[in-house]
Amino acid sequence: MRAEPTCPRCTGRLRPPNAWSSDWICAVHGAVLPRQPAKRPGPEGLAALLHDVRVPVWTPWPLPHGWLVTGFGSVGDERTGTRASAVALSGPNLVSGPADLLLIAEEPGIGLGAFHAGLPGPDPGAGFDTGPPHVKIEVCGPSATPGHTVPLWAVPGEDRAVFVGEALGNWLWAVLWPAGAGVLMAARMSLLDLREPGMEVDLPYGAPSPRLEH
């Protein structure tokens, strides 16, 4: 049986649209866009995400040594299109042991990035970008010129490292487990928007990431 859409802010069950309302309703957060079941890592999962996506689909490129793409997530439906995307990756922690990374692009107010960051609201909150950025990354894709720099700021996370900023008019979140894996962002990472028309990137895939499920 196919898993049902859930709330992007709490993973709670949703009341689907009906004859009186076109909204998906969460008992806690009210009208939300539906978080779809995770798509498995592989070309088919990527193609499904790219089908009607309206936000960037970010991946580091080239990937850090030993890292694999481990799944895709999305928020939206056939009526709205995909308004938030998530790319999961796993690989060796630069400190020790394994690490996980979620790269999330979303329109303001969706709440998927904040949920994975462990924040209560749908967005980073006022004042998150006070002071100089903690890291800077390069982004490129259909709407970004090569070498475009995006600043990211660290936000509190108990068991994870969280960085957030704005890229191409959408929130860009990088959430890493464990917290020590945040050192990966200290390297000058480059992100590629996989919406690039005609692009043929040979992504290496690994086992599905549990980070997309909760």
Side-chain angles (χ1 to χ4, degrees), residues 13-33:
R13 296 182 64 181
L14 298 179
R15 189 181 73 210
N18 54 42
W20 296 273
S21 173
S22 61
D23 292 328
W24 294 81
I25 304 297
C26 171
V28 177
H29 297 108
V32 297
L33 292 180

